[in-house]
Amino acid sequence: MATGAACYYHPAAGRASPSSLALGLRSSQSKVFFISSGGRSSSRWWMRRRRGEGKASCGSTNSSSTARARPALFSPRAMEWQECSTEIEVDVPCSVAYQCYSERETIPQWMPFISTVKVLEDKPDLSRWTLKYAILGQDVEFSWLARNMTPTKNQKIHWRSLEGLPNRGAVRFFPKSSSSCRVQLTVAYEVPEILNPVASALKPFLEGLLFNGLERFVTFAKERYSKTLQS
């Protein structure tokens, strides 16, 4: 195994599964975290480990006490969720802003930390996302599969992840005039346990990134609207 350390867990129960997330520390690059889908081998390894611990607890009184005193390798615990929110005014109608944000594969053009978005051809409500960015001095990479929930045209787009990095969010569009609107972006995500020590600093940092993304979205939407008026 190439990684120096790895942790496989299920977001809800804290147990390994084929759809688990893998958080690892690369031995060749200190404090660089990455995330990917865990395979069956990791699940089987975890089960063998648990079975081994179970056998130990059935032995003598001393070995049982030792097993109870040793902290569980994968102890179920509630993961911390954070919610980030930001908004901006755009000098385009709600319908234009809504249409621009609906084109998911163009999001990497203006959202700085999203590297790729790929809509599934056979299931257009699903899309695969990849995030790559240096966060608080650490190069991080996360991926997830998201489902777009039923939108409210020109008012709301919302989604939730199905696998990978647990997250959910919504973009809301509020008209200010016939040619301008306010765009509000809210994203909630499960903080990986390994990043909990910097969780308090993570929220304002990511809110700043989201706002920077919306600033670039304003330019993107205005250029699109200008082309529409000229055609």
Side-chain angles (χ1 to χ4, degrees), residues 28-222:
S28 61
Q29 195 171 2
S30 178
K31 295 186 178 179
V32 177
F33 304 101
F34 63 95
I35 191 165
S36 61
S37 298
R40 292 182 179 178
S41 60
S42 62
S43 179
R44 289 197 295 267
W45 176 88
W46 184 86
M47 292 301 294
R48 287 199 298 270
R49 178 81 182 208
R50 296 300 294 175
R51 285 198 292 269
E53 290 177 359
K55 290 179 180 179
S57 64
C58 294
S60 64
T61 302
N62 291 338
S63 61
S64 177
S65 300
T66 303
R68 285 196 300 269
R70 186 183 301 117
L73 185 61
F74 297 105
S75 56
R77 55 167 293 177
M79 302 301 289
E80 178 182 354
W81 278 75
Q82 281 190 346
E83 182 175 285
C84 297
S85 185
T86 188
E87 60 182 56
I88 200 168
E89 292 186 10
V90 193
D91 290 330
V92 302
C94 269
S95 58
V96 175
Y98 174 89
Q99 181 59 39
C100 289
Y101 217 112
S102 296
E103 299 171 3
R104 284 164 287 170
E105 292 189 347
T106 67
I107 290 178
Q109 295 182 28
W110 47 265
M111 187 60 77
F113 56 86
I114 300 298
S115 57
T116 61
V117 179
K118 179 63 177 177
V119 177
L120 276 59
E121 293 183 3
D122 56 336
K123 297 179 179 179
D125 61 322
L126 301 182
S127 52
R128 295 193 180 277
W129 297 61
T130 303
L131 177 157
K132 293 181 181 180
Y133 206 77
I135 299 179
L136 303 178
Q138 299 172 357
D139 294 327
V140 297
E141 178 177 343
F142 296 106
S143 63
W144 63 91
L145 176 68
R147 179 188 297 280
N148 266 32
M149 314 304 287
T150 303
T152 303
K153 188 175 182 179
N154 299 335
Q155 295 182 35
K156 181 182 178 182
I157 298 170
H158 57 133
W159 72 90
R160 64 180 178 87
S161 65
L162 301 180
E163 63 182 38
L165 177 68
N167 70 91
R168 58 182 179 265
V171 189
R172 295 175 173 85
F173 306 87
F174 304 93
K176 292 184 65 65
S177 69
S178 60
S179 59
S180 65
C181 66
R182 178 167 55 92
V183 177
Q184 181 187 74
L185 171 60
T186 301
V187 177
Y189 56 93
E190 185 179 90
V191 180
E193 186 175 358
I194 202 165
L195 294 180
N196 276 344
V198 295
S200 60
L202 196 59
K203 180 176 179 178
F205 178 81
L206 290 180
E207 286 184 334
L209 283 182
L210 293 176
F211 183 75
N212 290 341
L214 287 186
E215 286 184 317
R216 295 169 64 174
F217 173 76
V218 169
T219 301
F220 180 86
K222 290 173 70 174

